[in-house]
Amino acid sequence: MRRTRTPRRSTVALSLAAALAATALAPTAGLADDTARPASATDTLRGVAPLDLEVGVAVAGGGHHLEMPYPDPFPNDVVYRSHLAREFSSLTPENHLKWEFVHPEQGTYNLAPAEAIVEFAEANGQVVRGHTLLWHSQNPLWLEEGDFTPDELRGILREHILTVVGHFAGRIQQWDVANEIFTGEGEFREENIWIRNLGPGIIADAFRWAHEADPDALLFFNDYSVESINAKSTAYYELAQQLLDEGVPVDGFGAQGHLGIQWGFPGDLQANLERFDALGLETAITEVDVRMVLDDTGRPTPAQLARQADDYRRTLQACLNVEGCRSYTIWGWSDRYSWVPVFFPDQGAATVTFEDFSRKPAYYALHRTLLDSLPGYPDVPAGAHEANIRALSRDGIVAGFRDGTFRPASSLTRGQLATLLAQAAGLDTTGTTTRFTDVAGTQHEGAIAALVAAGVVDGYRDHTFRPGATINRAQLATMLANWLELDDVDTGPFTDLTPTHAGAINALYGANVVFGTTATTFSPNQPVRRDQAASLVSRARVLTD
């Protein structure tokens, strides 16, 4: 059964020659709780991802973590959770939905830990991948050692799928239904209790039952060592073809991406994903990590980190290059909680951050690759404003000029800022206003009317708005503070402010939205550039999410 796929969305550039206003990026603010975010959303992976790509991570907890000399990570490490909230748009429970954890005794389900992750994802605007339903590993002893007839086993699997998938119906985007069902030679795994006792036909039934439990969930095959075109991935390709022809609700194929720098990179990863894409299936990179053999110090060398970064980059780029690859997940955020050294004692350092959550070159490689996938302009250099301009272009809030440039150093007018703020706030810009004598019929009238109605902007005493006048930093700050509904703050670090704008500027400074031109000066009369505006609005949007 082939479902209709939504085409990969491209950013629609609005016909605004609109401009924006702000300051450069600042260091990420300290995190206080689960939903704390950096001062700029573009300082995260999710903040620079294309609109149709979920960037995900495995949520550490359960499984081997319960035997480690630290508390179970997800329920206990607040700082870790805050990183998950801000960096990712998709979460995969690492162990919480595996049989031994979620179904520890016959007739007994332990759904609360996975429920906590799903609730966390919902609170942070994230989707969830469910992992996994039919697998040969991490099954409870009552199942593996039980004396069940084939009919009883079939009933147990059906009940499990209907119970677990049904519990999260409408809340989990994708499920790994059949996980690691083939050997490296492309034969069905005999150690899989379901295939061994019920035959390969049980795979189609598992997909049907999952679809019955949640018709909206996307249902995937998932495996390791299937990144290349080889016997194992070809077995999946042929089985997917067969099941689709039979009308089985198979929606996707996931390549895990457990790599090591001691091995060659699967250079045909993109070609492999493309053949599944041609079947009408979605594809995903589901469990990426890149491990390495460490010396006695236990620390990776610069050369190892560089190779690791390149492998991460290449997996992500392969996904970005394939129309139906909509999900890219790394298998762990920090070496602190990585599974690799537990199962491979001489190897490790497989994730994109060190044990203290500091970022490795691999993190920056992913961030740069995502950023490069967004709309850009040839006259916007790499640096503080680039990510913000690209992200706002992705979201249809800003656009360049007809010649393809952005003109980042150009000054911003009051009318352009009004259009920008109305777009960023999602206001209806089809109205008109008679409040100002110089606005009717201009390209910015609808935006100005919307902002007037929202109490964001005001004009001059002579009943003009002066949409073509250059806007300065003080006027911009006042509009932003009104948009964000910030209360005036009496004190701040700047010595060059007038009473008219001081309260708004101090409030924005306290919210990490604006900064001075020096430690004690704000330069309120300085004209605002388009690139500065993009960064400021990007920072302000974080407070509105």
Side-chain angles (χ1 to χ4, degrees), residues 452-464:
V452 167
V456 174
V457 301
D458 203 350
Y460 292 89
R461 294 179 182 178
D462 61 358
H463 304 293
T464 63

Side-chain angles (χ1 to χ4, degrees), residues 178-240:
N179 192 53
E180 301 174 4
I181 59 174
F182 286 112
T183 67
E185 292 73 35
E187 304 293 332
F188 287 110
R189 280 184 180 268
E190 281 299 310
E191 64 266 45
N192 185 302
I193 185 175
W194 312 109
I195 296 173
R196 183 175 69 247
N197 290 281
L198 303 176
I202 193 61
I203 297 166
D205 288 332
F207 278 95
R208 293 187 182 102
W209 293 330
H211 181 67
E212 177 185 346
D214 186 356
D216 294 326
L218 297 174
L219 309 179
F220 275 69
F221 287 111
N222 187 57
D223 212 327
Y224 65 91
S225 296
V226 293
E227 294 74 29
S228 288
I229 298 175
N230 54 33
K232 193 176 189 180
S233 62
T234 297
Y236 277 103
Y237 180 80
E238 293 173 350
L239 178 59

